[in-house]
Amino acid sequence: MIIFGLLFGLFIIGIGFFVKKYPETIAGYNTMSTQKKKNVDIESIAALYKKGLVIIGLVIMICSSFFSLLKLLESEAIALPVPLLVGIFILTVLAQKYDHNKRSRFKKRLPVIIVGVIILIVSFSLYYNTRPTNVTVSDNSIEFTGAYGLTIPMVQIGKAELLDNIPEIKMRTNGLRLGGILKGHFILDELGKCRLLLRLPNSPFLYLQLKNGEKIMFNSPDSLCTRDVYNTLKDRLY
């Protein structure tokens, strides 16, 4: 994750220099009529975006590295999207003063409203998807809550094991992978398709194989919790 954060930050910085050199590529401006373009101080907007994107890129690189080194998974997961979204929102607001075209108050605020709504949606999605998976074991079932969670009747469980390591992850087919947070459907070496509810690198890992062939792997940030779930489940099954 730390390498991806650094590369992503450098990519954002590169975009900043690109829009400064080619301001006509800025979204919104490139679709304006020639007359409307005359009322826009595009050079000032380009300079603003360059400065802003460079700052955003540096913040992403610093936060991603810091959180990764401290193994703060939730913080690491938001180190990329949050600075980017908040930064774009601020830049969108500041850029309005360089557009001197006459528009209604609503149309002037529309870009800010759209960006704000997107930030709220993405923020809620990140919050929901990065929350730790909670598990409850009853006499008849085991329930995993949160994103990609499910309830499994005890009679459907064919095998339950506690693993110290997981096979190599080959591919994510449908799910979330942010830092050490893996939720959703992945393809693993040796196991094939598997539903992961993981927070790496915390071991051990609870591995379940259902009678219909479906495979699930879970762990808790607290290793004792994972062991307790396994022991409780083992008592129910055997």
Side-chain angles (χ1 to χ4, degrees):
M1 179 67 176
I2 186 172
I3 296 177
F4 180 77
L6 293 174
L7 292 176
F8 187 75
L10 288 173
F11 175 71
I12 297 299
I13 292 173
I15 292 178
F17 282 93
F18 180 82
V19 298
K20 180 65 173 68
K21 187 173 183 179
Y22 303 102
E24 65 276 4
T25 61
I26 295 176
Y29 179 79
N30 55 8
T31 59
M32 286 183 177
S33 65
T34 303
Q35 183 59 40
K36 286 187 176 181
K37 286 182 178 180
K38 293 179 180 179
N39 298 322
V40 176
D41 185 355
I42 191 60
E43 293 299 328
S44 295
I45 292 179
L48 171 67
Y49 269 79
K50 176 190 174 182
K51 182 178 180 180
L53 290 172
V54 168
I55 293 174
I56 292 170
L58 290 174
V59 170
I60 288 174
M61 294 169 68
I62 293 171
C63 291
S64 180
S65 301
F66 179 75
F67 294 138
S68 180
L69 292 173
L70 293 182
K71 301 185 184 303
L72 300 174
L73 297 183
E74 289 89 350
S75 300
E76 184 185 359
I78 65 175
L80 272 64
V82 171
L84 179 61
L85 291 172
V86 173
I88 293 298
F89 178 79
I90 294 173
L91 289 176
T92 301
V93 174
L94 296 178
Q96 298 296 308
K97 67 180 180 179
Y98 298 113
D99 184 354
H100 305 297
N101 286 294
K102 293 183 178 180
R103 293 176 296 173
S104 66
R105 182 177 298 179
F106 174 75
K107 288 185 177 180
K108 286 183 178 181
R109 294 179 178 177
L110 184 59
V112 177
I113 294 173
I114 292 174
V115 174
V117 170
I118 292 174
I119 289 176
L120 289 175
I121 294 173
V122 173
S123 297
F124 175 79
S125 177
L126 282 173
Y127 174 80
Y128 176 73
N129 284 285
T130 57
R131 300 300 298 163
T133 300
N134 294 318
V135 58
T136 302
V137 181
S138 66
D139 291 336
N140 300 316
S141 66
I142 178 171
E143 179 184 8
F144 299 97
T145 63
Y148 296 96
L150 74 166
T151 300
I152 307 169
M154 290 294 180
V155 294
Q156 292 185 8
I157 300 176
K159 179 167 59 175
E161 297 180 348
L162 200 62
L163 307 178
D164 291 326
N165 299 289
I166 65 172
E168 179 184 354
I169 299 172
K170 295 292 187 180
M171 183 185 304
R172 173 174 58 88
T173 58
N174 177 24
L176 171 77
R177 184 171 189 173
L178 286 173
I181 301 174
L182 292 87
K183 289 188 176 184
H185 303 280
F186 294 75
I187 296 178
L188 276 62
D189 189 26
E190 300 177 5
L191 293 180
K193 295 180 180 179
C194 188
R195 184 192 300 248
L196 302 183
L197 302 168
L198 302 178
R199 305 178 77 78
L200 302 178
N202 305 308
S203 61
F205 307 94
L206 173 65
Y207 170 65
L208 302 178
Q209 182 171 323
L210 307 188
K211 293 178 180 178
N212 63 6
E214 185 177 358
K215 305 176 184 71
I216 299 99
M217 198 169 291
F218 159 83
N219 76 327
S220 169
D222 182 356
S223 61
L224 292 178
C225 177
T226 306
R227 293 183 185 278
D228 288 342
V229 171
Y230 170 71
N231 291 329
T232 303
L233 187 61
K234 186 171 62 173
D235 292 339
R236 299 286 194 278
L237 292 174
Y238 311 114

